[in-house]
Amino acid sequence: MSGFCPELSDDVKQVRDWVHDFARDVIRPAGAEWDEREETPWPVIQEAAKVGLYSLDFFATQWFEASGLGLPVAFEEIFWGDAGIGLSIVGTGLAAAALSANGTPEQMGEWLPQMFGTENDVKLGAFCASEPDAGSDVGAIRTRAVRDGSDWVLDGVKTWATNGGIANVHVVVASVDPALGARGQASFVIPPGTPGLSMGQKFRKHGIRASHTAEVVLDGVRVPGSCLLGGEDKLEARLARVRSGERAGGQAAMRTFETTRPSVAAMAVGIARAAFEYARDYAREREQFGRRIAENQAIAFLLADMATRVDVARLLTWRAAWMARNGRQFEQAEGSMSKLVAGETAVWVTEQAIQILGGAGYTREHPVERFHRDAKIYTIFEGTSEIQRLIIGRAVTGLQVR
C-alpha cells in the first residue's frame, strides 16, 4: 500500500513500553490463576483502571492516534500478557466501537462513559450481535425491535456475548424490518437496569476462560427512541433507500466488525509472539544429547518460521490499521486479511511451541498449552477464517463468491 511506513512514533513507543510493563508485572503473573477460575478478573481490571489502561480516555486517545497504530500496538502487548485477562480488559472496546460506528455524538457522550465507569467504580460494556441459529450469517438475526409509540421493544436471544449479562451497558443488534435481511437491522443501547434483559447460559470455554462469555436474553425489553443508535431519521432514510433498491451501506454488525478487525488481529499477534518467545527461550536452555536443542537445525528452522509468521501477521495488521485511520478503502479486504493471517498464525505458532517443549508443553506447568487454547478462538469469533476468505475472495475477484 503506497504511503504505508511501519515506523512507530515516539508516543506510540512510549505507550507500547508502558503497556508491556503492565502486562509483564500484573497481567501475566495472574493469567494461570484466572484461567483456572474461569471468572472475570475484576482485581486486574481494577488495577488497569487505576493506571489509566482501562478507561475511555485511553481507548479514545489510541483510537484517534494519528498513525492508527496506537490500539493494535497496545493490544498486542496486553495479549502478550494473557489473552483471557486481556479480553476482559478490552472487551468493552467492542461495544464502544459499535456505539461509535453507529451512534450520534450525543449518544456517544451519554453512553461511552457509562461503559467504563470510573477508577473506583469499574463498569463493562457488551456488544450483542451473534445468535444461536445465525452464527456467521448476520442476515439471519431473529432478535426483533418493534416500535411501540415513541419506544422500541426488543425480544430475542443473543449468544457468545463478551461481558453479556454482567455489563452495565449492552449494545444490541436487532432486526427492525426482517424482509430486508441484514440491511433491515439497527443497533440499540440497553441502559443499565432495564427490565427484561437477563443473562442466560454462561459458557465454559476451551480458551480465553478469564473472559466472561454468555447468552443475553431480551424479553420485552423496552427502551426509549433515544436508544436507537443514529436516531430515527437516519434509520428511516436508510430503510427507504434499501426499499427503493439503492445501496445503503453495510448493516450495523458488519460496520462494527470492519472497524475492529485490525485490533482483533493484534490480539492474535500478541498470543503468537508470547508463544514464540517462550519456545525460543526454552530451546536456548533445554539440553538433549549434550547440546541445547536450539542448536538442532530442525528446531532452529521451526523457530525461524515462527518468528517470520509473527512478523508477517503484525505487518498486515499494522497496514490495515493505518489504512483505516487514514481513510483508505479496504479494496482488497485488507482488514480481513489481517484477521485471517493473524488468527491462523496464532494457532500454528502456539502448536509449534508445544511441539518444541514436547511433553512438558502439553502440561499446565508451562503456559504454551494455555496460549494454544486461547489462540483457537481467533479463527472463529468476529468472523471465522472461512468468512474472511469469502470476503477476500469477493474483493479480489469482484464476483459474488458464495
Side-chain angles (χ1 to χ4, degrees):
M1 170 55 64
S2 177
F4 172 65
C5 179
E7 177 66 29
L8 299 181
S9 68
D10 289 340
D11 287 344
V12 173
K13 289 178 181 177
Q14 186 175 15
V15 169
R16 177 197 62 193
D17 294 344
W18 168 61
V19 176
H20 178 81
D21 289 347
F22 183 85
R24 180 195 62 210
D25 298 337
V26 180
I27 295 176
R28 178 164 285 191
E33 175 189 352
W34 290 98
D35 176 73
E36 291 285 348
R37 293 175 63 165
E38 298 190 54
E39 297 174 358
T40 300
W42 289 105
V44 184
I45 301 173
Q46 186 73 57
E47 287 301 311
K50 286 180 180 178
V51 301
L53 179 57
Y54 183 79
S55 69
L56 175 58
D57 181 65
F58 174 79
F59 277 81
T61 299
Q62 299 311 310
W63 182 266
F64 292 108
E65 189 275 327
S67 70
L69 302 183
L71 275 185
V73 167
F75 281 13
E76 178 180 333
E77 298 303 328
I78 292 170
F79 282 72
W80 171 89
D82 180 74
I85 293 176
L87 199 56
S88 285
I89 292 173
V90 309
T92 294
L94 183 58
L99 177 54
S100 299
N102 300 291
T104 65
E106 293 76 17
Q107 288 169 330
M108 287 186 278
E110 179 176 4
W111 298 112
L112 284 174
Q114 295 190 50
M115 289 184 178
F116 291 89
T118 66
E119 174 185 327
N120 298 316
D121 187 20
V122 170
K123 304 294 185 183
L124 301 174
F127 179 60
C128 306
S130 297
E131 296 190 359
D133 296 323
S136 296
D137 184 5
V138 294
I141 285 176
R142 295 183 179 179
T143 296
R144 290 291 312 276
V146 179
R147 285 190 184 89
D148 185 11
S150 61
D151 295 341
W152 289 85
V153 179
L154 285 78
D155 288 279
V157 177
K158 295 296 182 179
T159 194
W160 315 122
T162 299
N163 299 332
I166 64 171
N168 194 47
V169 177
H170 292 73
V171 177
V172 175
V173 178
S175 175
V176 297
D177 188 338
L180 300 179
R183 292 188 174 187
Q185 296 170 2
S187 293
F188 297 82
V189 168
I190 312 299
T194 300
L197 185 147
S198 62
M199 186 178 79
Q201 176 187 4
K202 177 186 175 182
F203 295 104
R204 301 190 66 187
K205 304 188 298 294
H206 176 64
I208 56 169
R209 300 197 303 189
S211 173
H212 176 95
T213 309
E215 292 179 329
V216 174
V217 179
L218 303 126
D219 183 8
V221 173
R222 180 179 292 272
V223 296
S226 60
C227 289
L228 167 64
L229 292 188
E232 196 88 21
D233 292 344
K234 184 177 179 181
L235 174 64
E236 284 302 325
R238 178 168 62 82
L239 294 179
R241 292 196 300 273
V242 174
R243 290 169 185 141
S244 67
E246 295 181 32
R247 294 186 62 85
Q251 53 82 38
M254 292 311 298
R255 281 197 298 273
T256 299
F257 294 143
E258 286 167 5
T259 60
T260 59
R261 277 187 184 126
S263 293
V264 174
M267 301 174 193
V269 173
I271 299 169
R273 186 183 118 215
F276 160 71
E277 291 177 357
Y278 195 92
R280 177 200 63 197
D281 294 346
Y282 181 90
R284 284 171 171 171
E285 299 297 327
R286 174 68 169 164
E287 291 191 5
Q288 287 279 286
F289 305 107
R291 63 178 179 178
R292 290 169 293 184
I293 64 172
E295 296 179 64
N296 295 319
Q297 191 177 87
I299 300 297
F301 279 15
L302 184 53
L303 288 168
D305 285 344
M306 293 163 73
T308 300
R309 292 198 187 190
V310 171
D311 270 9
V312 168
R314 180 185 296 110
L315 289 171
L316 284 172
T317 298
W318 284 9
R319 181 185 67 169
W322 178 86
M323 290 177 66
R325 181 66 183 89
N326 287 277
R328 304 293 183 94
Q329 293 294 318
F330 287 163
E331 295 179 358
Q332 300 292 306
E334 288 87 351
S336 289
M337 286 183 180
S338 70
K339 203 270 186 181
L340 170 66
V341 172
E344 299 207 338
T345 294
V347 172
W348 185 83
V349 169
T350 54
E351 182 176 3
Q352 304 318 308
I354 293 175
Q355 196 71 18
I356 288 172
L357 270 69
Y362 198 66
T363 71
R364 296 189 183 181
E365 296 300 314
H366 295 273
V368 290
E369 68 84 27
R370 185 172 79 252
F371 296 159
H372 186 52
R373 288 189 286 108
D374 290 342
K376 182 56 188 170
I377 194 62
Y378 288 88
T379 66
I380 299 173
F381 75 172
E382 293 205 46
T384 64
S385 289
E386 292 74 21
I387 289 294
Q388 306 307 329
R389 288 188 171 92
L390 187 64
I391 294 169
I392 297 166
R394 289 172 176 172
V396 301
T397 64
L399 302 175
Q400 190 62 24
V401 180
R402 297 181 183 275

